[in-house]
Amino acid sequence: MGLRIAMVAGEASSDLLASHLIRALKRHLPDAEFFGIGGPKMQAEGFKALWPAEKLAVHGYVDALKNYRELSGIRRSLLRRLLADPPAAFIGVDAPDFSLWLEKRLKDRHIPAIHFVGPSIWAWRKGRLKGIARSVSHMLCLFPFEPPLYQAAGVPVSYVGHPLADVFPLVPDRAAAREMLQIPDGVPVFALLPGSRQSEVRNLADTYIATAAALCERHPEARFLVPLATRETRLLFEEALRRHANIDLPIRILFGHAVDAMIAADAVLVASGTATLEAALLKRPMVITYKMGKWSFRLMRRMAYLPWVGLPNVLAGREVVPEILQDAATPQALSEALDGWLTDKDKVAELTRCFTDMHLQLRQDTAARAAAAILPYLQGRGR
């Protein structure tokens, strides 16, 4: 029987990261069994999901509190399973509030606890470092500025780069993307990405639609692409469109195809998160926006250490793309910022150079580097 490796991943982006890692580990451990909490990409690699990843996909403190009882029950149930039949190692992929609790208890029982994707201590909650040091055997970081923070706290750490930088080409083929989406040459195109969670679409859909209307006044020939990841988010956005039925907008909803939409676009309106990094790796001008419950926003702002929320700005160490958040995110402000990218070609060229440098820095063959960091913890732990 091969090694048994437990994993937890709770978001679409985590599911992708974990699936790449499973594939890389199987090159060294072809008989290994992977199980725990995960999504469809992990399952396609042979992962056995005891619970689906979507169970952990909560958004903000209020949402987490509403689902606390169920999440706590799942976590305790998984811990009982792992202690009753210990795996060779546990790998928590993101989902720090869920996984670090498990990792500490497993580490205390001498089960290697690896955390893949460092929690955003660089943005807020640096006080978590002491708890992380007690919880994890090894931290795998996606960004080059993270390891020194963990090293200073005595946490074994490896910089592994970001897998999207391995997957995305350095020079995306915009002509091919526009041809695939049947968009004529010379037509201004805006990609609108309101997020992958239902709560994000609820908070942002009306603002996005009103922003598109404002842009149409400036560019009557413009097209708008709205890629949505699930049937539920699509229905929510369609409901918002019906609320604006008096406005005739050339909005095209796509099921998936977020990458194609961004490549084809002249500018992207994007909710904060992994999609901002995707837009940067695709060398697209963007405006980052976000809205959440006012109490969650106030708490997050109070605990923040950096002036930016978007990864492109954090990685650059300066504001290279606009961030327009919460009450400031009016259709007028967002449309003006997006329109600015269409009119300043020199600024777009400078941004492309910045994003290309960022891409090269993050391109590290992430899955292979992560697997290499994990393999030493598995030596001598087979059955």
Side-chain angles (χ1 to χ4, degrees):
M1 184 177 181
L3 290 170
R4 298 172 60 255
I5 299 171
M7 301 180 75
V8 166
E11 301 262 351
S13 57
S14 305
D15 182 32
L16 177 65
L17 289 170
S19 68
H20 289 175
L21 179 58
I22 290 170
R23 195 179 313 145
L25 285 168
K26 280 189 170 182
R27 295 190 190 106
H28 301 275
L29 306 165
D31 297 326
E33 175 190 343
F34 298 85
F35 69 99
I37 301 175
K41 289 183 174 62
M42 295 167 70
Q43 292 173 54
E45 298 295 333
F47 180 85
K48 180 181 178 182
L50 305 177
W51 291 272
E54 62 197 44
K55 286 289 186 182
L56 308 189
V58 297
H59 172 54
Y61 290 106
V62 175
D63 202 9
L65 287 171
K66 287 179 181 176
N67 293 277
Y68 176 79
R69 186 183 297 273
E70 181 183 16
L71 293 175
S72 180
I74 290 172
R75 188 167 60 181
R76 291 186 179 280
S77 179
L78 178 58
L79 178 63
R80 286 193 295 269
R81 287 179 182 237
L82 298 180
L83 295 180
D85 188 9
F90 174 88
I91 305 171
V93 185
D94 212 355
D97 291 322
F98 187 95
S99 292
L100 288 170
W101 184 93
L102 281 169
E103 287 162 14
K104 182 181 187 306
R105 285 150 181 80
L106 295 171
K107 185 185 176 187
D108 288 346
R109 297 293 187 94
H110 308 291
I111 299 169
I114 294 104
H115 197 85
F116 188 14
V117 185
S120 301
I121 54 169
W122 41 267
W124 60 297
R125 294 176 72 181
K126 282 187 181 177
R128 301 183 76 185
L129 271 171
K130 291 182 180 178
I132 291 170
R134 292 191 294 268
S135 299
V136 305
S137 306
H138 203 100
M139 180 68 70
L140 305 176
C141 292
L142 304 187
F143 303 113
F145 57 80
E146 295 177 294
L149 299 172
Y150 289 102
Q151 289 167 349
V155 180
V157 61
S158 299
Y159 168 55
V160 298
H162 202 291
L164 290 176
D166 298 323
V167 174
F168 288 1
L170 281 173
V171 182
D173 191 338
R174 294 192 66 208
R178 288 199 169 205
E179 182 179 356
M180 190 271 288
L181 294 169
Q182 299 181 327
I183 298 170
D185 292 338
V187 172
V189 177
F190 298 91
L192 311 179
L193 283 80
S196 59
R197 300 183 182 101
Q198 294 180 47
S199 55
E200 290 172 326
V201 177
R202 286 192 189 95
N203 289 336
L204 292 169
D206 288 295
T207 299
Y208 274 41
I209 293 166
T211 300
L215 283 166
C216 267
E217 293 180 3
R218 301 167 184 261
H219 305 281
E221 73 281 20
R223 307 283 181 90
F224 300 91
L225 304 174
V226 184
L228 296 166
T230 66
R231 180 175 179 272
E232 289 76 16
T233 53
R234 179 177 184 138
L235 289 173
L236 286 169
F237 200 89
E238 288 173 342
E239 288 176 11
L241 282 174
R242 285 193 288 274
R243 289 195 293 272
H244 297 265
N246 59 315
I247 308 173
D248 184 20
L249 292 173
I251 288 180
R252 179 178 170 190
I253 296 178
L254 305 174
F255 191 72
H257 294 286
V259 169
D260 297 317
M262 285 191 279
I263 293 174
D266 293 287
V268 179
L269 180 61
V270 58
S272 176
T274 302
T276 65
L277 179 64
E278 292 178 339
L281 294 173
L282 296 170
K283 321 300 181 299
R284 288 297 82 214
M286 75 186 85
V287 174
I288 297 170
T289 189
Y290 210 75
K291 290 186 178 183
M292 60 172 64
K294 64 178 181 179
W295 295 113
S296 292
F297 183 77
R298 287 180 183 177
L299 184 59
M300 292 286 285
R301 271 307 197 200
R302 187 176 300 166
M303 299 174 75
Y305 293 102
L306 295 176
W308 317 288
V309 301
L311 281 168
N313 292 331
V314 173
L315 285 163
R318 58 192 175 93
E319 186 171 292
V320 294
V321 297
E323 296 185 0
I324 305 175
L325 311 175
Q326 206 66 0
D327 294 339
T330 64
Q332 180 179 358
L334 295 173
S335 62
E336 287 178 357
L338 287 164
D339 187 52
W341 289 119
L342 269 66
T343 56
D344 193 337
K345 301 304 180 185
D346 290 340
K347 189 175 179 181
V348 171
E350 179 185 347
L351 185 71
T352 301
R353 289 190 292 270
C354 173
F355 284 166
T356 300
D357 291 342
M358 196 178 290
H359 195 154
L360 291 169
Q361 188 177 35
L362 294 174
R363 181 175 274 189
Q364 299 288 328
D365 196 355
T366 296
R369 288 183 68 132
I374 292 168
L375 287 170
Y377 292 94
L378 303 175
Q379 292 174 358
R381 300 190 67 88
R383 291 184 177 179

